[in-house]
Amino acid sequence: MVGIRLATHADLEPALRMRAAAWRESYAGLVPTAAIDAPTAALPASLAHWTRRLDEGASLWLAVEQGQVVGLAAAGVTGEPDAPTPLELEMLYLLERVKGQGVGRRLLWTTVGDAPCYLWVLAGNTPAIAFYERHGFVLDGATQESAAVFEGVHQLRMTRAGQP
């Protein structure tokens, strides 16, 4: 059984290592090969970033199976001036072995509930796009070039109005 819980400081390193594994599994063929290993190379900076975020009260949600992190998700109030909603789903990653078991749905629900929100997804990541569409998100036509680590790769914005 996969449980969902908030991350503690002690969870950060295993959670970020799991994110790196999820990138390797999910992004092969979508991003430059060198970029797939970026989370591993950036682990010290990511640890510092998430330590600070947790200290500031941010929530990082984990999916845990038999003591191993198999998924993670985070959301927060956006700083983007033209954001369609104030809430952004910043990340949701799962290991391949738990996909299709409802873990992603549970993480999404725990992280943002049915609130209006938006997210950015890599162009060409059809499994992720289909997942978010099943949960009420639609492509809204906005695009942006990814951050430096995925240089030359475009992201598509998806929004969800929320439930009445």
Side-chain angles (χ1 to χ4, degrees), residues 20 25 27 31 34 43 46-47 58 71 79-80 83 87 90 92 98 100 114 124 127 129 140 144 151 153:
E25 292 176 350
Y27 292 162
V31 300
L43 186 60
S46 292
L47 282 169
E80 292 183 38
L87 182 62
E90 299 169 6
L92 193 157
V98 297
D114 61 1
I129 293 168
D140 68 10
Q144 69 179 10
E151 187 175 343
V153 178

Side-chain angles (χ1 to χ4, degrees), residues 30 32 145-154:
L30 290 177
E145 189 168 330
S146 295
V149 69
F150 291 155
E151 187 175 343
V153 178
H154 284 86

Side-chain angles (χ1 to χ4, degrees), residues 110-141:
T110 301
T111 305
V112 298
D114 61 1
C117 65
Y118 76 100
L119 59 94
W120 292 97
V121 62
L122 291 180
N125 191 347
T126 53
I129 293 168
F131 169 81
Y132 292 120
E133 286 175 336
R134 284 192 304 275
H135 296 285
F137 290 85
V138 296
L139 293 165
D140 68 10

Side-chain angles (χ1 to χ4, degrees), residues 28-63:
L30 290 177
V31 300
T33 303
I36 291 174
D37 290 325
T40 302
L43 186 60
S46 292
L47 282 169
H49 170 79
W50 276 101
T51 297
R52 185 175 58 256
R53 295 257 336 251
L54 289 185
D55 289 346
E56 294 169 349
S59 297
L60 178 64
W61 291 95
L62 303 179

Side-chain angles (χ1 to χ4, degrees), residues 9 42 79 81-82 86 94 104 107-109 114 116-117 133 138 146 149 163:
H9 287 81
D82 64 341
L94 297 175
L107 267 176
L108 180 65
W109 177 256
D114 61 1
C117 65
E133 286 175 336
V138 296
S146 295
V149 69
Q163 304 299 317

